[in-house]
């Protein structure tokens, strides 16, 4: 059973079509990265899964039931973007309140606060918390009652690099225990090793979805070979020019290495030619990163889309 | 039901924490005692006058104070949660919008009820103990009726505040509208009614007028506390229209209870449609 499934889902807000025919699913024990610029439809997708809104068209099913049903919500943990809490209450009082609402045991509250690094601050009022501390409290809140589906909207905002790495490690552990996780973000660096699949949204539509290898295939982006010449740059340049019939883009980097962009389909043949030529001292292969793939799908219009969060 | 109680409990403990409950109770107790002893000072008398006169004075004070306190206590119930960023999170929990609204009503209602009970209760006990010739039975019945109607009036205005709070998206707007509601029911409504009466130059069916008073919960409240003593002479202004009221005391109680139920149901209906 999928943890959630969006089938041909569209959502209209006033006259604007915020989501267009989105198909997306998530299986137990999987981390899905949901990426897109502000206003691409990430938060709207999340709100539909949470049952806060109903789709204009299409079907949303969550944990075998309807989005928003109490028996479904019981098993969902959610960390909203820019999470806020009652400033006059302490971290512990807040978690107690939310645990009661979820019907979860209050005994887990101190343990969860320790887990997110708020053990010493649990009895301090939230108005004294830094942004990072609020974010960690939000994460502890999302983990109440050991949810089957965890939805995190921009979870690393306000976290320092160490806390971010801790968060990702925690998410991996939860995934290994069977929790399905949606990681919604427009901050891509660092996230790549921790997600199983990524979905890239632009203007309310899914542009690409899959694991990294599949996204690379879909993007069909050039692979960069970084080559150290064995006998001189000009001899190496000739070999490359002959092999790619002038198609390969060559650049020199500051270390005297030659960088060549080749199509994925031509990669192996090019490497073979280079090795056979005896002109290669050392060879590095740079696959497109998630960030490269994201930029590829978002296109140069990325800046123009940064309207607002929807 | 558990979710409703969890929300109510938080609202109630908030009002204990921010001293709302204590402050309201204190204001009620001090004013009630002040009125009981110095209410007749204008006529040259100091000391406890009589139970009907004291209750009438208390009710006149309640009309101004109770709606204002109820509106202040609860105008930001929903819009405050939204502005504070907690509404979205709350609604992702196994908690319906109705449960959230009724939970808040229960919490705010309990705060106001307890403050009223403590504040006026203390005053009632002080009168019973300190005034020699007061008839305890009459005082107890009158105080009970007064406290109960005060609580109902407060709940009605809490429900009206919710009606505003679920509709607007900014706290200052909610505060402004809450003040507007107070002005309308406490200050403007009766003037409007008198004005209409005068302007109609007798063409208006006089039998209609007492019923028009039912459109204002503060008038119902005043009628309940003053007419109950069978002393129409205490009524002034527009309320003299209700001196020979065709509505029984039970009807008045029912009308005041409707003023809690209808705005609350309206707030629920609007809240269900609100975009989050």
């Amino acid at each position: 059973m999928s943890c959630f499934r969006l089938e041909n889902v569209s959502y209209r807000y006033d006259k604007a079509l915020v989501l267009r025919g989105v198909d997306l699913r998530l299986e137990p024990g999987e981390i899905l990265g949901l990426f897109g610029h502000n206003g691409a439809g990430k938060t709207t997708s999340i709100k539909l899964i949470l049952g806060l809104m109903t789709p204009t068209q299409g079907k949303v099913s969550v944990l075998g039931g309807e989005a928003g049903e109490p028996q479904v919500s019981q098993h969902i943990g959610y960390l909203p973007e820019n999470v806020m809490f009652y400033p006059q209450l302490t971290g512990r009082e807040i978690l107690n309140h939310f645990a009661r609402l979820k019907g979860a045991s209050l005994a887990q509250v101190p343990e969860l606060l320790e887990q997110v690094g708020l053990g010493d601050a649990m009895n301090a009022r939230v108005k004294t918390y830094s942004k990072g501390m609020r974010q960690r409290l939000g994460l502890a809140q999302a983990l109440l009652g050991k949810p089957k589906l965890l939805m995190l909207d921009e979870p690393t905002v306000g976290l320092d690099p160490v806390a971010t790495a801790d968060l990702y490690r925690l998410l991996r552990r939860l995934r290994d225990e069977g929790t399905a996780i949606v990681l919604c973000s427009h901050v891509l660096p660092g996230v790549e090793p921790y997600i199983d699949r990524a979905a890239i949204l632009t203007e309310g539509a899914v542009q690409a979805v899959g694991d990294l290898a599949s996204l690379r295939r879909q993007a069909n982006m050039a692979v960069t070979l970084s080559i150290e010449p064995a006998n001189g740059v000009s001899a190496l340049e000739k070999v490359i020019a002959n092999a790619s019939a002038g198609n390969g883009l060559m650049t020199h980097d500051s270390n005297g290495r030659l960088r060549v962009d080749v199509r994925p389909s031509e990669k192996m043949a090019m490497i073979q030619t280079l090795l056979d030529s005896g002109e290669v001292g050392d060879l590095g292969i740079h696959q497109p990163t998630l960030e490269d793939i994201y930029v590829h799908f978002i296109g140069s219009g990325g800046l123009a889309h940064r309207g607002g969060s929807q | 039901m558990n979710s409703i109680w969890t929300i109510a409990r938080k609202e109630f403990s908030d009002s204990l924490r921010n001293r709302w409950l204590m402050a309201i109770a204190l204001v009620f107790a001090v004013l009630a005692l002040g009125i009981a002893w110095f209410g007749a000072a204008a006529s040259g008398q100091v000391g406890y006058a009589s139970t009907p006169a004291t209750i009438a004075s208390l009710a006149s004070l309640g009309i101004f104070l109770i709606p204002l306190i109820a509106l202040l206590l609860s105008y930001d119930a929903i819009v405050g949660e939204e502005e504070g960023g907690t509404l979205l999170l709350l609604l992702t929990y196994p908690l319906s919008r109705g449960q959230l609204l009724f939970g808040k009503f229960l919490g705010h209602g309990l705060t106001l009820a307890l403050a009223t009970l403590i504040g006026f209760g203390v005053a009632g006990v002080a009168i019973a103990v300190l005034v020699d010739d007061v008839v305890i039975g009459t005082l107890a019945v009158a105080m009970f009726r007064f406290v109960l109607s005060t609580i109902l009036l407060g709940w009605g205005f809490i429900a009206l505040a919710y009606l505003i709070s679920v509709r607007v998206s900014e706290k200052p707007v909610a505060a402004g509208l809450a003040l507007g509601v107070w002005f309308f029911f406490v200050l403007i409504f009766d003037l409007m009614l008198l004005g209409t009466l005068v302007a109609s130059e007798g063409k208006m069916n006089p039998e209609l007028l007492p019923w028009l008073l039912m459109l204002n919960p503060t008038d119902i409240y005043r009628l309940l506390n003053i007419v109950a003593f069978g002393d129409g002479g205490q009524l002034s202004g527009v309320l003299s229209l209700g001196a020979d009221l065709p509505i029984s005391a039970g009807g008045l109680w029912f009308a005041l209870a409707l003023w809690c139920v209808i705005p609350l149901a309206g707030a629920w209906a609007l809240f269900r449609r609100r975009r989050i």
Side-chain angles (χ1 to χ4, degrees):
Chain A
M1 180 188 71
S2 293
C3 283
F4 73 74
R5 186 180 279 272
L6 303 183
E7 292 170 81
N8 191 26
V9 167
S10 296
Y11 183 78
R12 190 178 284 279
Y13 186 94
D14 293 332
K15 283 181 183 165
L17 198 55
V18 183
L19 283 187
R20 322 155 179 257
V22 169
D23 283 301
L24 211 55
R25 60 170 179 78
L26 179 67
E27 304 299 328
E30 189 183 29
I31 301 183
L32 172 73
L34 198 55
F35 304 115
H37 50 76
N38 291 333
K42 304 186 301 282
T43 303
T44 303
S45 304
I46 286 190
K47 284 183 176 178
L48 287 169
I49 296 164
L50 289 167
L52 293 171
M53 306 187 312
T54 46
T56 314
Q57 181 198 310
K59 195 180 163 204
V60 181
S61 49
V62 186
L63 296 169
E66 295 251 331
E69 281 177 355
Q71 57 271 35
V72 168
S73 310
Q74 187 115 30
H75 300 292
I76 299 180
Y78 172 53
L79 171 66
E81 186 179 359
N82 300 321
V83 66
M84 300 292 279
F85 293 109
Y86 308 107
Q88 75 280 16
L89 300 188
T90 67
R92 188 176 187 157
E93 285 169 335
I94 281 172
L95 279 209
N96 281 344
H97 177 62
F98 283 105
R100 281 189 201 101
L101 282 176
K102 211 166 200 175
S105 153
L106 300 194
Q108 65 183 295
V109 167
E111 192 188 317
L112 275 174
L113 287 164
E114 290 284 352
Q115 199 175 359
V116 297
L118 288 176
D120 294 335
M122 68 168 83
N123 293 318
R125 290 187 181 201
V126 168
K127 65 179 170 192
T128 65
Y129 281 22
S130 67
K131 189 170 183 189
M133 288 164 84
R134 275 209 316 268
Q135 192 74 357
R136 282 184 275 160
L137 181 62
L139 182 66
Q141 166 278 135
L143 296 175
L144 280 167
K146 206 164 187 328
K148 291 179 184 167
L149 172 59
L150 190 57
M151 318 257 282
L152 309 173
D153 199 351
E154 306 289 356
T156 56
V157 172
L159 295 187
D160 60 47
V162 177
T164 302
D166 285 347
L167 167 73
Y168 286 144
R169 271 196 294 277
L170 172 66
L171 297 184
R172 282 295 281 263
R173 210 190 71 221
L174 292 167
R175 182 200 72 161
D176 293 343
E177 291 168 7
T179 310
I181 300 167
V182 179
L183 197 61
C184 195
S185 181
H186 62 262
V187 184
L188 283 96
V191 76
E192 192 176 306
Y194 299 100
I195 56 170
D196 299 306
R197 283 193 305 134
I200 297 172
L201 267 77
T202 52
E203 294 180 352
V206 177
Q207 294 297 326
V209 62
D211 58 21
L212 206 56
S214 142
L215 287 175
R216 282 186 181 127
R217 278 198 299 279
Q218 291 174 57
N220 193 29
M221 289 171 71
V223 176
T224 305
L225 304 179
S226 165
I227 314 150
E228 189 182 291
N231 307 309
V233 175
S234 53
L236 184 60
E237 280 176 343
K238 262 185 208 154
V239 173
I240 294 167
N242 288 337
S244 59
N247 289 332
L249 178 67
M250 275 187 278
T251 52
H252 296 267
D253 74 8
S254 55
N255 300 320
R257 294 172 79 102
L258 206 57
R259 296 174 71 88
V260 188
D261 291 342
V262 291
R263 294 276 125 219
S265 56
E266 296 159 2
K267 179 181 71 182
M268 294 311 292
M270 175 63 94
I271 291 171
Q272 194 63 55
T273 309
L274 285 166
L275 294 177
D276 291 347
S277 70
E279 295 293 337
V280 175
D282 184 35
L283 179 74
I285 304 169
H286 302 283
Q287 299 263 31
T289 61
L290 180 62
E291 215 172 340
D292 298 328
I293 295 168
Y294 174 78
V295 172
H296 170 83
F297 281 112
I298 296 289
S300 55
L303 271 177
H305 296 311
R306 288 165 200 196
S309 182
Q310 281 176 333
Chain B
M1 192 61 206
N2 272 349
S3 306
I4 294 181
W5 179 240
T6 302
I7 297 292
R9 179 189 163 134
K10 155 136 195 333
E11 288 305 328
F12 187 70
S13 56
D14 279 355
S15 54
L16 285 179
R17 190 192 309 266
N18 59 28
R19 314 257 195 285
W20 257 100
L21 196 146
M22 221 158 64
I24 301 171
L26 198 69
V27 165
F28 286 169
V30 169
L31 286 176
L33 287 172
I35 280 176
W37 262 266
F38 303 107
S43 56
Q45 271 183 303
V46 174
Y48 190 73
S50 72
T51 299
T54 302
I55 293 290
S57 303
L58 283 177
S60 301
L61 171 80
I63 282 158
F64 286 92
L65 216 53
I66 304 295
L68 194 62
I69 287 173
L71 290 164
L72 280 176
L73 184 69
S74 50
Y75 78 92
D76 66 345
I78 298 299
V79 72
E81 292 273 2
E82 188 168 55
E83 262 195 22
T86 42
L87 183 62
L88 177 77
L89 188 58
L90 277 173
L91 293 177
T92 66
Y93 275 71
L95 174 77
S96 68
R97 295 185 188 204
Q99 285 173 319
L100 176 60
L101 196 73
F102 295 128
K104 282 190 167 276
F105 186 78
L106 193 62
H108 283 140
L110 210 61
T111 301
L112 196 71
L114 212 63
T116 309
L117 208 60
I118 295 171
F120 292 121
V122 164
V125 169
I127 293 169
V129 171
L130 299 174
V131 179
D132 293 332
D133 54 349
V134 70
V135 183
I136 300 287
T138 315
L139 177 71
V141 169
M143 276 313 262
F144 177 76
R145 191 170 43 222
F146 171 70
V147 167
L148 193 66
S149 57
T150 300
I151 290 171
L152 272 179
L153 180 70
W155 287 355
F157 276 88
I158 290 175
L160 284 169
Y162 283 7
L163 207 52
I164 296 167
S165 202
V166 297
R167 196 71 188 87
V168 302
S169 53
E170 284 168 46
K171 253 166 77 167
V173 177
L177 286 174
L179 272 181
V181 164
W182 184 82
F183 265 102
F184 177 75
F185 284 117
V186 176
L187 302 176
I188 311 238
F189 183 90
D190 287 2
L191 284 176
M192 257 174 52
L193 209 57
L194 282 176
T196 313
L197 191 64
V198 172
S200 74
E201 292 172 343
K203 286 184 203 117
M204 202 164 156
N205 182 356
E207 283 176 19
L208 196 66
L209 287 167
W211 293 101
L212 288 177
L213 292 178
M214 299 299 107
L215 295 177
N216 185 347
T218 63
D219 282 339
I220 304 174
Y221 170 78
R222 212 165 1 184
L223 286 170
L224 258 174
N225 282 292
I226 299 170
V227 171
F229 287 100
D231 187 0
Q234 296 268 6
L235 298 170
S236 59
V238 74
L239 279 192
S240 54
L241 301 170
D244 44 358
L245 204 63
I247 305 160
S248 67
L252 290 176
W253 283 108
F254 181 70
L256 197 53
L258 275 185
W259 268 103
C260 303
V261 174
I262 293 172
L264 191 61
W268 183 30
L270 285 177
F271 190 32
R272 282 169 60 140
R273 287 212 298 270
R274 186 181 176 121
R275 248 181 207 163
I276 303 294

